[in-house]
Amino acid sequence: MSRFIIEGGGKMEGEITVQGSKNAVLPILAATVLSDGKNVIYNCPKISDVDMTVEVLKNLGCRVDTEKDCIEVDASHLSGHTIPDELMRQMRSSIIFLGAIIARCGRAEISMPGGCEIGIRPIDLHLSALKKLGVSITESHGFIHCVREKVQPASIHLDFPSVGATENIMLTACMTEGVTTIENAAREPEIVDLERFLNRMGAKIKGAGSDLITIEGVHKLYGAAHTIIADRIVSATYLACAVVSGGTVALKGAESAHMGAMLSVLKNMGAEIYEDKQKIVVVSPKKLKSIGTIKTMPYPGFPTDIQSPFMALSTQCEGSSVFVENIFENRFRHIEELVRMGADIKADGRVAVVIGKSRLTGAKVTAPDLRGGAALIVAALAADGTTEIENIKYIDRGYEAVEEILSPCGVKIKRKE
C-alpha cells in the first residue's frame, strides 16, 4: 500500500500549474454517452476517480482513448445500461451516470454508490426528480432499476441545492421534449462547466450559476470538444500548503472568480493574495491570524471540501478558530489524526474548536478520506520531523501526483510503495 513520507519545516516556494477540476470532469465524462459521436475532453486530471470513470464508460460499450490530459470518448456503439457493483462501490460520483444512461437508453441499472465515508449522502433528490421526468424506479437487493415509461418535462424544486441531483436532472432533461426547470439548483462553477459542454453538444440550457436553470429538450446531441475548468479545491489546498509553510506560491491556471470564500478567509488570516487572469499568487504573513468562525455552505459559501485542509492550517493561527460543518455530518474524521500530530481540537457534533499555535510533530497517520488526507499534507508541512501518511489511495482520488507537484516547490515529499 502506498504512503507519503513528508519532512516538515521548510518553506514552499515556486509555481504550480493547477489540474483540471475533479468535480467538473466526472459529470462531463458521463455526459459523453448522450451523443453518438466523438467527444474530446481536454485538461482532464490524472486521478484515480477519472480512471474509474473511464472504466465505467468502457463497460457501457464506449471507445475511450487517453493521451496526456486529453480523453476522447466515442459512444456511438453504446451497448450497455448497467454499471457493475464493483465500480459503483469504489466511486460515489458514478451516480451521475444515471441521468445520462436513462436519457440515451431509456433505462438504467446501478447498485447503491460507494466512495469516501464522510457521512450519509442520500440520493433521494436524484430519484424523486427522475420520477417527475417520467422514470419508473424500483429498488431491490441493493440495486436501483430505472425504466423511462414516458418522456415528460417537469418543474422541479430541490429541497437542497444538491450538485449531483442538479447534474442528473440536466443530463436527463436535455433530451426530454418540452421545457424542464430546476428551482433551488446548485450554483457551483462545475454546474456552469457542464452547461457549457452540453450546449456545445447541441443542448439548450440556460441559467447555470443561478438558482433557476431552464432546459429546453432536443432530440439529438452531437460530439463536441471541451476544456475542463481548473480545480478550485486543489487550488485552495495548495494555497493552504504555501501559507502554513510561510512561503510564496503562484498558481497558474487557477480561477480566482470561483474561489471568493476561500480567498477571503486567507486574506483575513493576513495572507497577501494577488489575483490575475488565471493566476493567483499568495504571500504568507509573518503571523497567521485566527480564522474566526467558518460555516460550510453550498456555493458561493465556504466549501465543505476545503474545510479539512483549512482546519489543519488553523492549528498554526493565533487564537482559536471554530468550524461548523453544515453539509456532511461525518466530515471531522481527520481530527483524530491531527490530534495525533499535536493539534488541540475539540469537536462536538458538527462543531469543532481549534486552539491555534499548536506545536505539530511528525507522526504516522492515516488518510480517512480524500480531503482529510489533504489536511494531513498541510499539517505535515508545519510539523517538526517526518510525517508518514498511509492510505493515500484516497488522496489519489482527487489530487494529481501530489509528490510531483510539491517537490519542485521545495517540499520534501516522497511516495513509498
Side-chain angles (χ1 to χ4, degrees):
M1 186 178 291
S2 299
R3 63 193 188 277
F4 284 138
I5 308 296
I6 303 173
E7 185 178 333
K11 284 188 177 182
M12 181 173 158
E13 306 272 0
E15 183 174 271
I16 292 172
T17 299
V18 179
Q19 68 185 59
S21 169
K22 166 188 178 288
N23 292 334
V25 71
L26 301 185
I28 284 173
L29 286 175
T32 62
V33 307
L34 292 170
S35 78
D36 57 4
K38 291 182 180 179
N39 294 281
V40 183
I41 314 300
Y42 298 99
N43 200 31
C44 297
K46 300 178 184 67
I47 55 178
S48 59
D49 267 16
V50 167
D51 295 339
M52 199 60 57
T53 302
V54 167
E55 290 305 308
V56 173
L57 288 168
K58 290 179 178 178
N59 183 78
L60 293 170
C62 300
R63 176 178 174 179
V64 185
D65 295 309
T66 302
E67 184 176 351
K68 295 183 179 179
D69 70 347
C70 175
I71 298 178
E72 181 179 291
V73 183
D74 184 352
S76 55
H77 300 292
L78 193 75
S79 57
H81 62 270
T82 302
I83 301 179
D85 180 60
E86 60 268 23
L87 293 178
M88 287 298 299
R89 284 183 180 274
Q90 293 184 58
M91 189 177 65
R92 180 173 291 271
S93 53
S94 49
I95 189 67
I96 204 62
F97 273 93
L98 194 58
I101 296 172
I102 290 170
R104 177 75 186 273
C105 303
R107 62 177 59 238
E109 183 177 301
I110 64 171
S111 65
M112 295 298 289
C116 291
E117 297 177 6
I118 59 174
I120 299 172
R121 294 191 277 186
I123 60 172
D124 296 0
L125 291 175
H126 301 242
L127 301 184
S128 62
L130 291 174
K131 288 177 182 177
K132 291 179 180 178
L133 291 167
V135 179
S136 173
I137 299 173
T138 57
E139 299 178 50
S140 62
H141 306 291
F143 279 81
I144 303 170
H145 307 271
C146 303
V147 177
R148 192 157 201 186
E149 295 184 338
K150 53 184 175 181
V151 179
Q152 63 185 31
S155 295
I156 300 169
H157 177 87
L158 295 176
D159 294 333
F160 179 83
S162 162
V163 173
T166 300
E167 291 168 341
N168 254 328
I169 297 166
M170 292 169 67
L171 291 169
T172 308
C174 67
M175 295 181 70
T176 299
E177 187 176 355
V179 177
T180 294
T181 58
I182 312 172
E183 296 180 4
N184 197 30
R187 299 167 59 187
E188 275 74 0
E190 295 79 18
I191 300 290
V192 178
D193 210 30
L194 177 60
E195 179 193 72
R196 265 193 221 110
F197 176 60
L198 290 172
N199 285 345
R200 283 180 177 146
M201 296 172 75
K204 296 181 179 179
I205 306 174
K206 60 182 180 181
S210 73
D211 60 2
L212 177 62
I213 297 177
T214 303
I215 307 147
E216 183 181 344
V218 298
H219 293 292
K220 188 176 178 64
L221 293 177
Y222 305 88
H226 183 75
T227 300
I228 300 295
I229 58 173
D231 196 307
R232 59 196 173 98
I233 305 302
V234 169
S235 298
T237 300
Y238 290 147
L239 290 177
C241 287
V243 170
V244 84
S245 74
T248 298
V249 168
L251 299 183
K252 188 178 178 182
E255 296 273 4
S256 60
H258 300 163
M259 299 175 61
M262 296 175 280
L263 295 181
S264 177
V265 170
L266 290 172
K267 290 174 183 176
N268 290 338
M269 293 170 63
E272 295 179 37
I273 306 287
Y274 300 95
E275 304 169 37
D276 198 352
K277 188 176 182 181
Q278 291 204 314
K279 190 172 186 179
I280 299 174
V281 178
V282 63
V283 180
S284 302
K286 291 182 179 179
K287 289 185 178 181
L288 288 170
K289 301 174 187 176
S290 166
I291 285 180
T293 299
I294 287 181
K295 298 179 181 180
T296 61
M297 300 289 287
Y299 189 85
F302 190 87
T304 182
D305 279 354
I306 202 63
Q307 172 257 108
S308 308
F310 271 47
M311 186 180 292
L313 176 58
S314 72
T315 66
Q316 301 306 297
C317 293
E318 299 279 358
S320 60
S321 303
V322 179
F323 290 80
V324 182
E325 176 55 56
N326 290 311
I327 308 299
F328 297 124
E329 76 282 357
N330 198 21
R331 202 149 210 176
F332 284 160
R333 298 175 67 223
H334 56 285
I335 290 178
E336 182 179 347
E337 303 301 309
L338 292 176
V339 169
R340 189 185 299 272
M341 298 177 69
D344 187 353
I345 307 174
K346 300 291 188 296
D348 184 7
R350 290 177 178 255
V351 179
V353 179
V354 183
I355 307 301
K357 298 305 293 180
S358 297
R359 181 178 177 270
L360 301 182
T361 57
K364 189 173 183 178
V365 292
T366 301
D369 50 59
L370 169 55
R371 306 306 175 183
L376 297 179
I377 293 175
V378 174
L381 297 185
D384 294 331
T386 302
T387 299
E388 183 176 331
I389 305 175
E390 295 185 324
N391 214 24
I392 62 172
K393 64 179 182 180
Y394 284 120
I395 300 173
D396 290 337
R397 286 190 52 219
Y399 293 84
E400 180 180 302
V402 172
E403 71 280 13
E404 296 177 17
I405 298 295
L406 296 184
S407 290
C409 295
V411 176
K412 296 180 180 178
I413 176 173
K414 293 181 180 178
R415 180 187 293 261
K416 293 282 188 178
E417 299 297 332

